[in-house]
Amino acid sequence: MSSSDHAPKPEPSSRLPKRGLPSRPGAVRRSFDTVRGLFTGDTPLPAPTLRWGLLLVAAGAVIAALVTLFVTGFDNNKIEAHTPGSPGEPVVDKEFGTAVKGDCLSWSKPDHSDLSKVRCDTKHMFEVAADVDMSKYPGKEFGPGSRFPDSLRLTELKEEHCVPAVQQYMGGKFDPRGRYIVGLMYPSPDGWQHGDRTLRCGLQYAASTGTPPSVGSAAEHDQSKVYGPGVCLGINQNLPTDPVDCGQVHAVEVVSTIDLGQRFQGGPPAKDDQDKFVEDECARTSSDYLGGPDVVRNKTLTLFFDYLDARSWMAGSRKLDCMVGKGADREGFAPITGSAKGDILINGQAPQPPPNTGRSTPTPLPGAAPLPAQPQPR
């Protein structure tokens, strides 16, 4: 799925555009500042200046969804999920009420009413990193008869208790930009009324909507946030979302996954060294995936890739995806239908290959002087 073999470099026409801006110390900040200027026109965008890191702009659009997604309780009062107390208290959901560190939980119903413990090497939704008994919390906030906490308070509890619990569970090697995100599960309101004050901190697979299943313990799994060749990411408000079939409208398509561990050993590689390696590999592997060195250019697409910062590297992440997409006429991406391996539509239209000169020839305005003769390709 990934490769770092040194293959012959493609012809200049298939190479990624040369860097047109200073190198990387402020790459992410610069990406935000240059989005408006670079996502304009019909010519392919310079990939080195518009990396996969650009998609961090999506964070602001989905923060509210993530808060709801990863602070997760039971949505139906019919279920009582709580730690067993006195013999007279009902215990409807023993699975949640007895879940401890290292347990994996799964469900299929939106209200989680079919929640069960499963083996972590099978599909699951949540991996428990710690259980926190809030009845021991100082003060009366979580004492008998206390009000069920609102979503803001639950979010604060997640940050206060779950973030450090997950770091400890992962041995200090949690990738905050990786495939997992810190999650919190809490009792239902009924369970709260029956005295359950146990919160369960853990890890869930990161997504913009829903809770995708994961396989394997997060503590032992590669945390690199990669999808693999052939995966397309959907689009919402011009920004990428979760994987969809490439026949559906999407923002980008993954053409390859690059393993930086095959090239770099030891500490985190410098951004410039990392970028040069990934850029060359993306150019080479995209040609292999798409079936030719000129497909990206002829379909007016652009290659995008991210970088691994020191936190991700120290957590053990080594892989990055190379993706193809099309800049929209405003911030974000244009909608694409179909796999880039075949015929595609961009904004509902078939892409028109640029002239052989590599430049677009603008249509003259009415009454404008005729354009001078254009140089012919050599």
Side-chain angles (χ1 to χ4, degrees):
M1 191 165 65
S2 62
S3 173
S4 60
D5 298 335
H6 295 286
K9 293 184 180 297
E11 294 300 316
S13 61
S14 68
R15 292 293 303 277
L16 293 173
K18 296 293 184 180
R19 290 178 172 82
L21 291 176
S23 197
R24 306 293 180 182
V28 174
R29 179 186 297 268
R30 190 191 65 217
S31 294
F32 281 102
D33 293 339
T34 56
V35 166
R36 290 183 177 84
L38 293 173
F39 272 133
T40 57
D42 295 325
T43 57
L45 303 177
T49 61
L50 285 178
R51 327 146 61 103
W52 177 233
L54 266 181
L55 305 188
L56 291 174
V57 297
V62 299
I63 285 177
L66 290 178
V67 169
T68 301
L69 173 61
F70 299 114
V71 180
T72 308
F74 290 85
D75 303 324
N76 191 322
N77 288 340
K78 293 180 181 179
I79 186 167
E80 297 171 0
H82 54 91
T83 304
S86 64
E89 290 185 353
V91 181
V92 177
D93 186 56
K94 296 179 181 179
E95 302 293 301
F96 178 80
T98 58
V100 295
K101 175 181 176 180
D103 285 342
C104 288
L105 307 175
S106 189
W107 58 85
S108 60
K109 297 181 179 179
D111 63 3
H112 302 178
S113 60
D114 61 340
L115 181 146
S116 62
K117 292 180 187 176
V118 297
R119 289 165 49 105
C120 290
D121 59 3
T122 62
K123 287 185 178 181
H124 58 273
M125 307 295 191
F126 191 88
E127 182 173 353
V128 180
D131 54 285
V132 182
D133 185 359
M134 300 307 297
S135 66
K136 299 178 180 179
Y137 203 86
K140 299 181 179 180
E141 181 181 6
F142 304 108
S146 59
R147 291 183 56 186
F148 189 82
D150 59 23
S151 59
L152 178 59
R153 184 63 177 126
L154 288 168
T155 301
E156 293 173 345
L157 292 171
K158 178 175 74 74
E159 294 299 317
E160 181 179 352
H161 295 283
C162 293
V163 170
V166 165
Q167 285 284 2
Q168 183 178 10
Y169 180 73
M170 299 291 284
K173 294 185 176 181
F174 173 66
D175 184 354
R177 297 183 68 214
R179 69 170 63 212
Y180 300 104
I181 192 167
V182 176
L184 167 67
M185 294 192 73
Y186 53 84
S188 68
D190 278 356
W192 189 272
Q193 289 178 6
H194 282 93
D196 184 4
R197 298 293 186 270
T198 304
L199 309 178
R200 283 169 175 83
C201 302
L203 298 109
Q204 291 177 268
Y205 198 93
S208 59
T209 58
T211 308
S214 179
V215 177
S217 171
E220 303 172 355
H221 206 283
D222 184 346
Q223 297 179 61
S224 302
K225 189 173 177 60
V226 293
Y227 296 96
V231 174
C232 290
L233 301 184
I235 187 169
N236 183 22
Q237 296 183 353
N238 287 15
L239 296 173
T241 57
D242 300 321
V244 298
D245 185 276
C246 290
Q248 300 179 28
V249 177
H250 56 272
V252 292
E253 178 177 352
V254 180
V255 298
S256 65
T257 299
I258 308 301
D259 186 353
L260 278 73
Q262 297 183 10
R263 170 65 175 80
F264 302 102
Q265 305 296 325
K271 288 183 180 180
D272 286 349
D273 295 338
Q274 189 178 150
D275 290 348
K276 181 61 169 64
F277 171 71
V278 177
E279 181 180 327
D280 290 344
E281 286 297 290
C282 283
R284 180 181 65 80
T285 56
S286 67
S287 178
D288 294 341
Y289 176 86
L290 297 172
D294 298 322
V295 176
V296 170
R297 175 180 179 273
N298 289 340
K299 293 185 177 179
T300 68
L301 299 173
T302 300
L303 280 166
F304 296 89
F305 57 90
D306 197 2
Y307 72 97
L308 293 173
D309 64 15
R311 296 172 301 170
S312 297
W313 189 268
M314 298 305 291
S317 296
R318 295 291 185 272
K319 297 178 181 178
L320 294 171
D321 278 336
C322 300
M323 287 158 276
V324 290
K326 172 73 173 181
D329 58 358
R330 57 183 184 271
E331 291 186 13
F333 291 83
I336 299 175
T337 306
S339 170
K341 284 185 172 183
D343 295 331
I344 63 172
L345 298 177
I346 302 176
N347 282 316
Q349 302 293 324
Q352 298 297 317
N356 289 335
T357 58
R359 297 181 178 181
S360 296
T361 302
T363 303
L365 296 174
L371 291 172
Q374 301 297 305
Q376 297 300 314
R378 297 180 179 179

